[in-house]
Amino acid sequence: MKIQASALTDDFNDPLITIEEDEEAREEDLWFLPGPLEEEADDLPPGPRAEPPETAVIEDWAKAEGVHAARLARVAGRLGALDDRLLRGPEGWRHRLALIEAADLSWFAGDRVSSDRLALWISMRLSGAQDDPNALAGVGWAVRRLTGGPGPQADLAAFLDRRDPEHAEDGAERFEDRAGGWLDFMAAARDLHPITRACMGYHLWRLAGLGGHGDQIEATVTASRIAASDGSGAIFAPLAMGGAGGQRASGLPTERLARWFDGMNSAILTAMRTLDDIEAWTLRAENVMARLSGCTPVVA
């Protein structure tokens, strides 16, 4: 029997081909494959940012409320004092404050309706040649909502007197759906103080698609009713009497809430001074009229 020579050499000095070298050789043979990916500079413009979730928005306003807890306590205390005074006072006080608040709101919206002209329009529908009937009607709506009726949290569409048309276009978003979404958002923030919740709802008004003609008056009236929802004497919390600074929409929730508190604080003080003037005028008028017998008064 012939023994074949072994395929293995006995020379241990010859290098052996390792597995790694074998894989590299195979990769060099695959010349048709693309090379490794290289990181390229991101020169593309930024795309649309995703809107933050509702819980994140509410948490931001809750943190802002905690930062301004002292301001909130001071404003809430003064609103409670105004509520108690209106509860013990005559009905005419609330109506007078509502006229002043609505008239100031009209100036912010650019309509410039005085409280006296507004009172004539509401009582007898009297207007001058220079008056805009649409502006008077919008401000008259504000007076009605500031003096009574169900609040916006029950039915926002009915509160605003805005309804969807009977024959809406296909695919068009209904106003009742947008109003319902805003109300659901406000209900999710029920742990916030009503004054803070009113400020948040005011600044989210247009984002919810509720804007339109006269939206500043509608948003402010709605927020003023929500801020005073815990009261029994004051139907609304004064906002416009302190100027338009409290409703300025700029900055983070902390900054917006600080301006809101300062504006409401100034408006409440203005309302209290107005009631002082009305009460003093009433006492003077009663003293003068008490000396009259009912006949034609003497010439002053």
Side-chain angles (χ1 to χ4, degrees), residues 75-76 78-80 82-83 86 94 97-98 100-102 105 145-147 193-196 198-199 219-243 247 260-261 263-269 271:
V75 174
R78 287 180 174 169
L79 181 59
L82 178 63
D83 178 80
L86 290 175
R94 286 188 287 269
L97 291 181
I100 298 174
E101 179 77 5
L105 281 175
R145 292 298 182 265
L146 292 174
T147 52
H193 193 277
I195 298 177
T196 305
C199 179
T220 306
V221 171
T222 304
S224 64
R225 288 292 302 267
I226 294 176
S229 58
D230 289 345
S232 54
I235 300 177
F236 70 95
L239 294 172
M241 295 182 191
Q247 291 105 305
W260 186 269
F261 288 155
M264 183 177 292
N265 183 69
S266 178
I268 294 174
L269 292 177

Side-chain angles (χ1 to χ4, degrees), residues 30-199:
L30 302 179
W31 53 269
F32 51 87
L33 294 179
L37 297 178
E38 297 181 358
E39 296 183 358
E40 298 180 356
D42 188 6
D43 298 332
L44 297 177
R49 297 181 179 179
E51 296 183 358
E54 295 183 359
T55 55
V57 175
I58 297 176
E59 288 177 359
D60 292 340
W61 285 97
K63 293 178 181 178
E65 182 183 78
V67 171
H68 301 294
R71 288 184 177 180
L72 174 59
R74 181 171 61 252
V75 174
R78 287 180 174 169
L79 181 59
L82 178 63
D83 178 80
D84 181 70
R85 188 169 183 180
L86 290 175
L87 183 63
R88 294 182 289 104
E91 184 68 23
W93 286 5
R94 286 188 287 269
H95 185 73
R96 182 60 181 173
L97 291 181
L99 286 174
I100 298 174
E101 179 77 5
D104 290 342
L105 281 175
S106 71
W107 279 73
F108 299 157
D111 297 328
R112 300 191 177 187
V113 180
S114 65
S115 58
D116 296 335
R117 288 163 54 193
L118 184 56
L120 290 174
W121 167 260
I122 293 176
S123 59
M124 295 179 289
R125 290 297 187 269
L126 294 178
S127 61
Q130 74 280 7
D131 295 332
D132 185 2
N134 294 328
L136 289 173
V139 184
W141 169 87
V143 174
R144 293 195 303 271
R145 292 298 182 265
L146 292 174
T147 52
Q153 302 183 39
D155 188 353
L156 182 60
F159 181 81
L160 299 175
D161 288 339
R162 293 168 61 182
R163 295 293 185 181
D164 292 308
E166 296 182 359
H167 304 286
E169 298 180 359
D170 295 338
E173 187 178 6
R174 296 174 58 85
F175 176 78
E176 292 185 356
D177 296 336
R178 298 194 299 270
W182 186 84
L183 288 175
D184 293 340
F185 194 90
M186 298 297 291
R190 57 184 173 271
D191 292 337
L192 298 178
H193 193 277
I195 298 177
T196 305
R197 194 163 65 247
C199 179

Side-chain angles (χ1 to χ4, degrees), residues 201-212:
Y202 174 83
H203 289 290
L204 297 178
W205 189 263
R206 291 190 178 183
L207 295 178
L210 301 177

Side-chain angles (χ1 to χ4, degrees), residues 289-296:
M289 297 298 294
R291 297 192 296 267
L292 300 179
S293 61
C295 300
T296 304

